């Protein structure tokens, strides 16, 4: 009686078909790579669109070829050690680049899989460039004056507190310099707030150029 064997084989084939469908049609870029050589074994359509390489070109690359050439950017170097020893599956602070040389920020989820009879890893990529840009923009807005672009009171208080706590552990001292614009109220009252804003911008530019 081979009924159970046939049922198991059918279930396995269905599992393989489901994986291939999820892999191929996933909206996020996905690629499978060899755990020893780092060579890319397979990619989905989203990866082809994101990176700009043809499927045949991908198979001649390894995962390090996808990284940005900007060496000042922090990259993980021993990925297999991070996965197998540290147990990491999610990686941040990574920049990738397209075939055309355009850089973008990514976060990657990596998991071990069995692929065509060999041990491999599957990487699911999320482009977080826009999210990081918005995050930086919000942080800048929270800590900088909208008119002059200079650090605002919140950032000043934060920097002052850090300086105070740091210097408490040493014999150094610090001072706070206060600057006042004489008769600024008179400018606003006589020439209008637009003129006052222009004056503030000029002062801010001169201060920034002098530091």
């Amino acid at each position: 009686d081979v009924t159970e064997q046939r049922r198991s084989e059918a279930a396995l084939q269905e599992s393989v078909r489901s994986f291939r469908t999820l892999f191929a049609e996933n909206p996020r870029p996905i690629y499978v790579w060899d755990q020893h050589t780092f060579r890319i074994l397979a990619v989905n359509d989203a990866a082809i669109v994101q990176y700009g390489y043809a499927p045949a070109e991908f198979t001649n690359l390894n995962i390090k070829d996808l990284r940005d050439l900007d060496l000042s950017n922090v990259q993980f170097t021993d990925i297999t050690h991070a996965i197998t020893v540290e147990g990491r599956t999610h990686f941040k602070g990574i920049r990738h680049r397209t075939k055309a040389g355009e850089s973008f920020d990514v976060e990657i989820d990596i998991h071990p899989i069995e692929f065509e009879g060999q041990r491999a890893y599957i990487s699911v990529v999320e482009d977080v460039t826009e999210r990081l840009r918005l995050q930086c923009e919000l942080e800048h807005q929270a800590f900088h004056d909208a008119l002059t672009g200079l650090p605002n009171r919140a950032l000043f208080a934060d920097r002052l507190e850090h300086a105070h706590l740091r210097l408490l552990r040493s014999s150094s001292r610090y001072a706070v310099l206060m600057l006042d614009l004489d008769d600024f109220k008179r400018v606003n009252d006589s020439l209008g707030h637009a003129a006052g804003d222009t004056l503030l911008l000029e002062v801010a530019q001169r201060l920034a150029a002098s530091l």
Side-chain angles (χ1 to χ4, degrees):
D1 186 358
V2 295
T3 305
E4 189 61 33
Q5 179 183 344
R6 295 283 177 84
R7 186 180 294 115
S8 297
E9 290 175 352
L12 178 60
Q13 291 175 359
E14 180 60 29
S15 177
V16 170
R17 280 195 295 269
S18 298
F19 169 79
R20 288 176 176 171
T21 300
L22 289 172
F23 177 81
E25 299 180 1
N26 197 296
R28 293 183 179 180
I30 303 177
Y31 50 86
V32 179
W33 48 279
D34 185 274
Q35 64 176 343
H36 300 296
T37 65
F38 303 110
R39 188 173 67 85
I40 296 175
L41 305 174
V43 296
N44 69 349
D45 291 342
I48 294 171
V49 173
Q50 178 77 39
Y51 291 92
Y53 292 100
E57 292 177 311
F58 261 114
T59 57
N60 292 322
L61 302 175
N62 65 49
I63 60 172
K64 295 180 180 179
D65 294 323
L66 301 180
R67 295 185 305 175
D68 190 4
L69 293 177
D70 182 7
L71 299 180
S72 65
N73 182 264
V74 178
Q75 304 280 0
F76 55 89
T77 52
D78 193 349
I79 186 172
T80 53
H81 181 275
I83 298 171
T84 58
V85 178
E86 301 175 19
R88 294 175 59 191
T89 59
H90 188 72
F91 295 84
K92 296 181 178 181
I94 307 165
R95 290 193 64 110
H96 276 186
R97 61 186 173 89
T98 66
K99 180 181 179 180
E102 298 177 355
S103 299
F104 57 99
D105 298 286
V106 298
E107 292 183 5
I108 307 177
D109 289 297
I110 302 175
H111 299 280
I113 64 167
E114 188 82 16
F115 182 78
E116 296 182 351
Q118 62 178 311
R119 296 291 295 168
Y121 287 108
I122 185 168
S123 293
V124 182
V125 179
E126 181 179 4
D127 185 348
V128 295
T129 307
E130 183 63 16
R131 190 177 82 195
L132 293 180
R133 186 192 68 78
L134 290 174
Q135 181 179 326
C136 290
E137 186 176 313
L138 289 174
E139 289 177 354
H140 187 273
Q141 291 175 358
F143 293 110
H144 291 80
D145 179 69
L147 175 65
T148 64
L150 294 179
N152 62 13
R153 184 179 299 179
L155 186 57
F156 167 73
D158 179 74
R159 293 291 189 270
L160 184 61
E161 181 181 6
H162 278 81
H164 180 71
L165 293 175
R166 184 175 68 252
L167 295 177
L168 279 178
R169 298 189 293 268
S170 69
S171 58
S172 302
R173 297 186 178 187
Y174 67 89
V176 177
L177 176 66
M178 308 291 289
L179 290 174
D180 181 45
L181 295 182
D182 290 341
D183 298 324
F184 179 68
K185 185 175 183 302
R186 184 181 299 177
V187 174
N188 271 336
D189 292 343
S190 61
L191 300 177
H193 290 285
D197 287 350
T198 301
L199 176 59
L200 288 175
L201 280 171
E202 181 64 30
V203 172
Q205 291 168 4
R206 293 190 185 190
L207 284 173
S210 300
L211 295 176

